[in-house]
Amino acid sequence: MQFLNIKGSPMKEFWLITRYLTVRKVFNMLTRSLGRLLSRITRRYVNIGMPWSYSIEPCDICNLHCKECVSGLGVIRRRRGRISMDDYRRAVDQIAPYATNLFLYFQGEPTMHPDFAEMAKYAHEKGIFTATSTNAHYLTPETSAKIAASGLDKMIVSLDGYNQETYASYRAGGDYAQVLTGIQNLADAKRRLNTKTPIIEAQTLVTKINENNLPAIRKVAMDAGADLHYFKTMQIENEEDFAVFKTTIDKYSRYDAKNRLKNPVGFCRRIIDSVVITIDMDVLPCCYDKDASMKLGNLRDHSLREILRSSTAEKIISNIEYKRDTRPDICSNCGG
């Protein structure tokens, strides 16, 4: 486990994930992968094994108003709120035998859930590599200490600018200084508790506004206490935002000169390998389904295995995989 002590090494995450693997999980991954391969060859959904990657939504509300976010902009069309701890535990109990990783986020700011640290702890105790993504505004010293002690494996922090003006150009309503303080608070809590987790991974959406200051952003993130830093391509939904945000750096843009996806998804691994569970326990095949328009079923009514074996699930997944001309709108802007 010596790699866990290498600051900034991606091997940290690899070794943390392997720590949670069991014979059953590995066998399930191989089985599901075989099913995916057969599905691609036969162009028929071969549903064997269970997904291994899961997202559970702590809450779908947020304190910011980011320009491309349905939650922050308030245009999400489903119920706003938080998942109950009883529902959360029920969901984790069902995915635990198969999950190699759990993302504790979907829409909204997950740390706005008052029991977030307890949620991370429960998943950790169930033997699941658990990560989340935050805007860091709620990482107070107290909250950071609880998270550092919870067993959470990875904390992604959005840092999309090099000062208040550039940061708030996308993260509307956000406080740049507070983000850096949040990173520092979590790094300090890890040092006090002598723990290597969660890995703090700062991520930056590359835009036309910040593209000339990428080295400065990385330095600020690492100086604040991040273990890793990555630049990300930005998904743009609104046509008018291309002129504002689309970067001129080709490798950091999902779109060509005509604002079309450079690499549209063909056969979709996402809906085979992963599952999303919302605050209301609806099971979705895809994290791009932000309004929960493609419900496979509900965990309050049926088990996850029953839902994924249902005719509803087979129809929705088959339509996405094999009827490309009639795919839902959410597939048109999916970067895979």
Side-chain angles (χ1 to χ4, degrees):
M1 291 296 181
Q2 60 178 330
F3 292 103
L4 296 181
N5 295 319
I6 302 177
K7 184 176 178 63
S9 172
M11 291 300 290
K12 287 182 180 180
E13 186 170 340
F14 171 77
W15 285 109
L16 284 172
I17 291 175
T18 60
R19 184 177 66 176
Y20 293 109
L21 291 181
T22 63
V23 172
R24 184 177 184 181
K25 288 182 181 182
V26 172
F27 180 76
N28 177 69
M29 289 179 67
L30 294 173
T31 303
R32 193 69 173 176
S33 297
L34 175 62
R36 174 163 30 83
L37 176 62
L38 293 174
S39 296
R40 193 164 190 172
I41 293 172
T42 63
R43 296 187 59 79
R44 177 180 174 273
Y45 180 39
V46 180
N47 188 11
I48 56 176
M50 294 285 284
W52 64 74
S53 178
Y54 295 85
S55 297
I56 298 180
E57 182 178 57
C59 61
D60 62 356
I61 55 179
C62 190
N63 55 311
L64 303 187
H65 310 286
C66 302
K67 302 294 186 178
E68 296 292 322
C69 176
V70 295
S71 178
L73 293 177
V75 297
I76 195 167
R77 293 190 291 269
R78 54 190 174 89
R79 183 181 77 86
R80 314 301 299 277
R82 299 172 174 84
I83 194 171
S84 73
M85 285 301 293
D86 285 343
D87 278 345
Y88 173 75
R89 293 187 186 97
R90 187 181 302 122
V92 171
D93 288 349
Q94 291 205 41
I95 72 172
Y98 319 104
T100 61
N101 57 274
L102 167 64
F103 298 106
L104 265 181
Y105 63 94
F106 177 35
Q107 300 303 298
E109 169 52 46
T111 59
M112 290 182 72
H113 196 296
D115 298 315
F116 176 81
E118 184 61 31
M119 297 168 76
K121 180 180 179 181
Y122 190 77
H124 173 73
E125 291 175 345
K126 288 291 181 176
I128 307 173
F129 176 91
T130 306
T132 194
S133 180
T134 180
N135 60 46
H137 284 66
Y138 291 87
L139 294 183
T140 63
E142 180 183 8
T143 299
S144 295
K146 291 179 180 178
I147 291 173
S150 70
L152 181 73
D153 294 289
K154 181 177 177 181
M155 173 75 82
I156 299 168
V157 178
S158 298
L159 183 67
D160 301 311
Y162 54 91
N163 56 25
Q164 176 61 29
E165 181 181 4
T166 55
Y167 173 79
S169 66
Y170 178 69
R171 302 282 171 188
D175 186 323
Y176 180 72
Q178 196 167 346
V179 179
L180 297 180
T181 299
I183 296 174
Q184 292 166 354
N185 286 339
L186 187 55
D188 289 343
K190 289 170 58 179
R191 281 192 289 269
R192 288 197 307 271
L193 295 174
N194 193 29
T195 178
K196 301 299 181 183
T197 58
I199 299 168
I200 304 173
E201 179 181 303
Q203 289 187 356
T204 299
L205 294 175
V206 179
T207 69
K208 184 187 294 186
I209 296 168
N210 66 25
E211 65 184 14
N212 293 322
N213 297 88
L214 301 186
I217 296 173
R218 171 163 286 168
K219 184 178 187 306
V220 167
M222 300 304 287
D223 287 348
D227 298 299
L228 300 166
H229 178 271
Y230 287 106
F231 296 115
K232 285 193 64 180
T233 62
M234 180 178 178
Q235 181 189 25
I236 302 176
E237 295 279 4
N238 303 311
E239 188 65 32
E240 63 273 16
D241 285 338
F242 277 97
V244 179
F245 294 112
K246 182 184 171 186
T247 179
T248 63
I249 304 175
D250 186 65
K251 77 172 184 175
Y252 290 130
S253 177
R254 301 186 187 190
Y255 308 96
D256 63 18
K258 295 183 178 180
N259 297 337
R260 299 172 302 192
L261 277 176
K262 291 189 292 189
N263 299 298
V265 174
F267 184 83
C268 182
R269 295 181 55 168
R270 187 188 301 269
I271 60 171
I272 304 294
D273 297 341
S274 63
V275 156
V276 175
I277 301 168
T278 72
I279 59 168
D280 290 317
M281 298 288 272
D282 289 321
V283 177
L284 313 177
C286 173
C287 64
Y288 277 72
D289 188 13
K290 300 168 186 178
D291 274 318
S293 60
M294 298 187 297
K295 298 173 184 175
L296 305 183
N298 189 282
L299 285 179
R300 293 172 183 158
D301 302 321
H302 301 282
S303 71
L304 182 61
R305 182 175 288 275
E306 289 172 337
I307 290 170
L308 295 177
R309 299 286 188 274
S310 69
S311 58
T312 299
E314 181 175 0
K315 180 179 179 181
I316 289 175
I317 293 173
S318 295
N319 283 345
I320 292 174
E321 291 288 31
Y322 313 118
K323 297 182 179 180
R324 307 278 172 83
D325 294 338
T326 58
R327 276 180 164 176
D329 290 340
I330 61 172
C331 296
S332 64
N333 197 22
C334 175

